[in-house]
């Protein structure tokens, strides 16, 4: 770092994304990407784009995509905005409402980074059993940010629990980060008509197989969306490329493909959970496209040596766990076989037969 960098940034610990390996032979189950390609309709819409128009800036309102999303969810276009990935939306929300922010201590690693970068007071709520207790989010003196399902545990909070938090924080924004909601969890969108403090954030990166296009969305009251747009238009008005706008609209319209792919991943998850439980590893009940498995120490490295990438954090409470993205059935069979092998190796090393 240079001697010119300001003190706040010099002491900030940036977010560490999961590895994006150059070697494609690896089985990549470390960043919760979708193993299946995006909808054929997305590919067709992109192929049919007028490439000469790329010399022109994109629509700063991202109108085509906003309208398609509003239509899909039964909202008004003024209740929707798009971000360059949902990470950008989260950053806007931390800028807008983040003077003080409550979030679970075991959750998405970007929340403390945004709080640090954007100057907010981060209140990390303890989770003795790795679970979120709604009773811990009743302060009404700072924004509440909850990933639902939570990451990296995959555990879902019920709509009743979310509603109790909304009710207890009438003067604060409650941001529900639904990056993984489409894999069998219940969305809080149904609560929007009742709560003007609810902001729902979703992404096209997981259930719509578009992580590389960087598209996220926020949905809330028209006033909340106006706030976020105020920030966007003070920061980066052209935050979505022409390609991303076209891809987002085509992806949201192809409901049939979306349902089929999510269904496939849920089935694979169920099969994988049964297989790892049969091997004797505890697993958290996941409603996401990943599963949190308690293996004990050392498994992430041993899996990597076998060409399988998973995510592991060297953090006290979750050191014995790995987070495994749900890939294809074949990926998961290979992972299961590797877990079995490693367990056997460990038993042999410990002299257990
Ligand atoms: N929220 C959570 C909980 C996530 O795990 C992720 C993915 N890393 C994101 C938001 C951001 O996803 P994206 O920026 O790709 O939309």
């Amino acid at each position: 770092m240079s001697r010119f960098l300001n003190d706040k940034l010099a002491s900030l610990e940036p977010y560490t994304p999961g590895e994006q390996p150059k070697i494609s032979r690896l089985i990549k189950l470390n960043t919760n990407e979708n193993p299946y390609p995006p909808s054929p309709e997305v590919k067709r819409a992109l192929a049919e784009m007028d490439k000469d128009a790329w010399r022109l800036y994109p629509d700063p309102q991202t109108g085509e995509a906003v309208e398609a999303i509003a239509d899909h969810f039964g909202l008004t276009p003024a209740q929707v905005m798009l971000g360059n990935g949902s990470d950008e939306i989260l950053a806007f929300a931390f800028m807008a409402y983040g003077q003080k922010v409550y979030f679970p201590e075991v959750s998405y690693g970007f929340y403390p980074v945004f709080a640090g970068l954007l100057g907010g007071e981060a209140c990390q709520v303890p989770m003795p059993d790795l679970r979120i207790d709604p009773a811990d989010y009743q302060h009404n003196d700072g924004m509440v940010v909850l990933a639902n399902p939570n990451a990296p545990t995959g555990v879902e909070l019920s709509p009743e629990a979310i509603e109790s938090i909304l009710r207890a924080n009438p003067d604060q924004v409650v941001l529900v980060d639904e990056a993984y909601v489409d894999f069998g969890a219940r969305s809080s969108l149904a609560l929007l008509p009742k709560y003007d403090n609810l902001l729902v954030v979703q992404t096209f990166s997981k259930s719509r197989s578009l992580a590389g296009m960087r598209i996220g969305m926020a949905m809330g009251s028209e006033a909340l969306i106006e706030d976020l747009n105020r920030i966007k238009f003070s920061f980066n008005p052209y935050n979505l490329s022409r390609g991303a706008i076209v891809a987002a609209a085509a992806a949201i319209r192809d409901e049939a493909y979306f349902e089929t792919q999510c269904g496939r991943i849920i089935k694979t998850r169920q099969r994988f959970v049964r297989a790892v439980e049969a091997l004797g590893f505890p697993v958290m009940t996941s409603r996401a496209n990943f599963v949190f498995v308690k293996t004990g120490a050392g498994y992430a490295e041993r899996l990597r040596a076998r060409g399988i990438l998973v995510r592991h954090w060297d953090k006290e409470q979750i050191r014995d766990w790995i987070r495994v993205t749900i890939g294809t059935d074949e990926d998961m069979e290979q992972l299961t076989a590797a877990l079995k092998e490693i367990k056997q190796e460990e038993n042999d090393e410990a002299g257990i037969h």
Side-chain angles (χ1 to χ4, degrees):
M1 116 186 33
S2 83
R3 63 199 159 89
F4 307 107
L5 189 64
N6 77 39
D7 293 345
K8 198 177 87 184
L9 286 175
S11 60
L12 183 75
E13 183 70 53
Y15 175 70
T16 318
E19 182 182 351
Q20 294 293 346
K22 298 284 179 295
I23 325 162
S24 57
R25 274 180 293 109
L26 291 175
I27 298 180
K28 191 172 179 311
L29 305 175
N30 66 334
T31 51
N32 298 341
E33 288 139 332
N34 198 308
Y36 302 112
S39 149
E41 292 300 319
V42 170
K43 295 188 207 174
R44 195 166 57 88
L46 287 170
E48 286 173 2
M49 279 184 83
D50 172 11
K51 275 78 175 180
D52 288 351
W54 290 354
R55 70 190 180 79
L56 300 170
Y57 283 108
D59 171 12
Q61 319 287 352
T62 67
E64 184 192 348
V66 162
E67 273 159 37
I69 293 164
D71 214 41
H72 177 79
F73 289 110
L75 301 169
T76 67
Q79 288 184 280
V80 177
M81 78 144 340
L82 291 179
N84 193 290
S86 55
D87 281 337
E88 189 184 52
I89 306 249
L90 295 173
F92 291 165
F94 272 76
M95 288 183 210
Y97 316 113
Q99 271 161 295
K100 184 172 187 183
V101 188
Y102 292 89
F103 53 86
E105 67 172 344
V106 178
S107 192
Y108 184 31
F110 230 133
Y111 304 150
V113 179
F114 282 138
L117 177 68
L118 302 165
E121 183 191 342
C123 305
Q124 305 207 35
V125 180
M127 298 165 72
D129 54 358
L130 294 181
R131 285 176 195 279
I132 294 170
D133 180 352
D136 294 336
Y137 299 85
Q138 313 271 330
H139 301 85
N140 196 27
D141 68 350
M143 173 165 72
V144 176
V145 177
L146 295 167
N148 194 34
N150 195 21
T153 60
V155 175
E156 183 195 18
L157 261 188
S158 69
E160 296 72 37
I162 299 277
E163 189 162 9
S164 75
I165 295 169
L166 284 161
R167 242 186 281 115
N169 291 274
D171 307 313
Q172 301 297 329
V173 169
V174 176
L175 187 160
V176 184
D177 177 351
E178 297 189 345
Y180 301 104
V181 77
D182 298 322
F183 303 101
R186 291 157 291 179
S187 173
S188 294
L189 280 174
L191 297 170
L192 276 183
K194 259 171 95 179
Y195 295 94
D196 69 351
N197 56 334
L198 170 62
L199 187 64
V200 177
V201 178
Q202 294 191 2
T203 180
F204 284 68
S205 298
K206 321 290 177 182
S207 52
R208 292 186 172 82
S209 303
L210 287 170
M213 293 297 273
R214 313 303 304 124
I215 309 162
M217 54 185 159
M219 291 165 280
S221 69
E222 295 188 1
L224 290 183
I225 297 304
E226 197 183 325
D227 295 345
L228 297 181
N229 271 315
R230 245 178 120 77
I231 296 177
K232 161 178 152 152
F233 282 92
S234 310
F235 180 77
N236 185 13
Y238 306 112
N239 64 338
L240 260 78
S241 69
R242 283 178 172 266
I245 296 169
V246 166
I252 206 89
R253 287 190 193 116
D254 194 351
E255 255 177 85
Y257 183 84
F258 163 81
E259 299 283 349
T260 308
Q261 301 307 324
C262 291
R264 278 173 92 176
I265 290 172
I266 293 169
K267 271 224 173 75
T268 306
R269 180 183 71 210
Q270 288 165 342
R271 203 171 298 140
F272 175 69
V273 166
R274 279 196 299 271
V276 274
E277 281 179 344
L279 290 176
F281 296 110
V283 173
M284 289 228 162
T285 302
S286 170
R287 295 270 180 273
N289 69 336
F290 57 83
V291 178
F292 211 37
V293 186
K294 192 172 190 184
T295 53
Y299 271 69
E301 296 80 55
R302 291 194 191 206
L303 286 168
R304 197 181 196 296
R306 287 167 166 79
I308 303 174
L309 293 187
V310 300
R311 196 87 204 260
H312 174 257
W313 289 269
D314 193 16
K315 196 172 158 185
E316 198 191 329
Q317 256 187 299
I318 54 173
R319 196 165 283 146
D320 284 345
W321 298 75
I322 56 171
R323 189 199 67 190
V324 176
T325 304
I326 300 301
T328 61
D329 279 326
E330 198 185 17
D331 293 339
M332 304 324 279
E333 277 159 25
Q334 294 203 37
L335 172 62
T336 307
L339 287 171
K340 192 173 174 181
E341 244 176 65
I342 298 169
K343 191 165 187 183
Q344 190 57 50
E345 250 173 45
E346 289 210 315
N347 287 348
D348 290 347
E349 283 161 19
I352 306 164
H353 297 287

